[in-house]
Amino acid sequence: MTLDQARLDAFVGRMLGELGAASIVPLVRIGDELGLYAALRDAGPTTPRALAERTRTHERCIREWLAAHAAAGYLDYDPINDSFEMTPEQAAVFADPESPVNMLGGFEVIASSVVDAPRVAEAFRSGKGLGWHERCDCLFSGVERFFRAGYHEHLVRDWLPALDGVVEKLKQGGRVADVGCGHGASTILMAQAFPRSNFAGFDYHAGSIQRARVAAERAGVSANTRFAALAATDVPVRGFDLVTMFDCLHDMGDPVGAASHLRTTLSADGVLMLVEPMAGDRLEDNLNAVGRLYYASSTMICTPVSMAQEVGLALGAQAGEARLAEVLAEAGFSRVRRAAETPFNMILEARP
């Protein structure tokens, strides 16, 4: 096989960029854990010594950490004053927990995949998958942080109003089931926005449910929220006005069975809101930056999680709207439409 030297050089150059991006993941996790980003945001231009003093860390380690971030373009460096500074844009990504583009949770998810890689490799061999409850704890918190940024920005302002008649019901006092709620970020956001409505969060992972209860109490919404460690197929039939599923249907072993049961829990004019990762219907539609991230996450997390359950359909995080609509139709929903979208999510409205 003859190599094209120009193409090889370009590809090797790209790989250097890939290795640099991968190698900084643990540095971001360290900066997150030690509060370095918040300190940089508050300090303005600062030297390694000043940042080390502010954060009670070792100056030599901090200098190398800062240099790596500057080389990556994550911080700005002033060689005259030997100081480092975080721009407002960099702060939005690293230092503002309420920013819609905060990415720290994503780095936490990637770190969890590295920890779990040996067991995922075994799932490749056995085909038995690897359950959500068997994963590194930082996956649970990372997923909550990563997705909460988008939910905080869009859920109440854009997604719920895109559903016909739902906001009016919630303002008056409706009943909502948030299925696959994890740490309860989506449940709490809705409960804060609609205090007259009652919200029930369900997730089979008991540890996440415990965290959700604590988070709801801290947010002051314990009065109109409750949480239970139940699988989607065990959600009680209580005539819900709205059932929500945020980035979780594709993780389920039997998404048809789950959706079919949840249809029976709805009131006669109830709505299922399905939030799923943005994806086209064909592989070639997803060969882009978002698809790259989601296919990697699907390989390491979503697909083996589904395979570890009964049926093990393994939709994957890039199933696409047409495949999701097929699942909902098979589950008995008669009307499905795309109600809203972002570069990262599609929001489907399904009615019985």
Side-chain angles (χ1 to χ4, degrees):
M1 183 173 60
T2 303
L3 296 177
D4 182 313
Q5 191 62 46
R7 293 179 65 182
L8 177 61
D9 290 345
F11 192 64
V12 169
R14 178 183 171 187
M15 288 304 102
L16 287 173
E18 300 288 322
L19 287 171
S23 66
I24 206 166
V25 169
L27 277 69
V28 173
R29 293 291 301 120
I30 289 170
D32 185 18
E33 180 179 342
L34 298 180
L36 302 182
Y37 297 115
L40 280 164
R41 176 198 60 200
D42 297 340
T46 189
T47 64
R49 174 176 291 183
L51 181 62
E53 291 175 352
R54 177 184 284 264
T55 58
R56 297 183 179 181
T57 51
H58 195 281
E59 179 185 351
R60 184 64 188 91
C61 295
I62 287 294
R63 177 175 288 278
E64 213 71 0
W65 183 90
L66 288 167
H69 275 65
Y74 291 4
L75 295 174
D76 286 0
Y77 176 61
D78 177 4
I80 296 176
N81 297 307
D82 188 31
S83 65
F84 298 81
E85 184 176 11
M86 179 174 283
T87 68
E89 295 76 22
Q90 293 161 348
V93 171
F94 289 115
D96 181 1
E98 302 304 322
S99 166
V101 293
N102 186 288
M103 296 288 184
L104 288 177
F107 283 91
E108 196 171 358
V109 171
I110 292 170
S112 78
S113 291
V114 174
V115 172
D116 287 334
R119 290 190 291 171
V120 174
E122 182 56 35
F124 272 58
R125 298 186 184 96
S126 68
K128 295 180 180 179
L130 183 67
W132 182 265
H133 60 285
E134 300 176 283
R135 311 305 290 256
C136 170
D137 285 347
C138 59
L139 172 62
F140 314 138
S141 54
V143 164
E144 189 268 344
R145 294 173 73 194
F146 182 70
F147 285 113
R148 179 167 55 86
Y151 300 163
H152 185 272
E153 180 74 5
H154 297 290
L155 174 53
V156 174
R157 187 187 69 185
D158 303 319
W159 297 348
L160 291 174
L163 308 177
D164 292 338
V166 166
V167 167
E168 290 74 13
K169 288 182 181 179
L170 297 182
K171 287 180 177 178
Q172 294 170 8
R175 304 182 70 179
V176 180
D178 189 10
V179 179
C181 67
H183 288 187
S186 50
T187 321
I188 291 167
L189 285 169
M190 291 188 290
Q192 290 173 323
F194 303 102
R196 292 186 178 180
S197 290
N198 291 303
F199 297 86
F202 301 99
D203 198 294
Y204 95 96
H205 186 238
S208 291
I209 288 297
Q210 292 173 358
R211 290 286 297 271
R213 288 171 178 153
V214 172
E217 184 174 355
R218 288 177 179 171
V221 294
S222 295
N224 66 328
T225 61
R226 63 181 182 86
F227 296 91
L230 292 174
T233 50
D234 294 324
V235 170
V237 178
R238 290 182 176 166
F240 292 109
D241 299 296
L242 174 67
V243 172
T244 59
M245 303 182 77
F246 291 88
D247 293 292
C248 65
L249 181 71
H250 65 271
D251 293 320
M252 296 181 179
D254 183 10
V256 174
S260 178
H261 172 72
L262 293 174
R263 182 177 58 83
T264 69
T265 72
L266 288 167
S267 62
D269 60 347
V271 176
L272 170 68
M273 181 173 78
L274 181 65
V275 178
E276 282 285 304
M278 176 57 73
D281 294 322
R282 304 173 302 170
L283 172 60
E284 55 267 35
D285 298 330
N286 303 320
L287 303 181
N288 50 52
V290 174
R292 177 191 187 192
L293 176 63
Y294 282 158
Y295 275 127
S297 297
S298 187
T299 302
M300 292 301 299
I301 303 168
C302 312
T303 299
V305 162
S306 176
M307 291 170 63
Q309 303 169 55
E310 291 185 8
V311 180
L313 188 61
L315 279 175
Q318 294 287 269
E321 183 176 359
R323 182 70 182 99
L324 293 169
E326 288 178 1
V327 168
L328 293 174
E330 189 175 348
F333 287 92
S334 61
R335 292 169 288 167
V336 179
R337 71 177 181 94
R338 186 185 297 200
E341 63 182 67
T342 73
F344 299 101
N345 284 107
M346 70 176 79
I347 294 80
L348 302 183
E349 175 187 290
R351 294 180 180 268

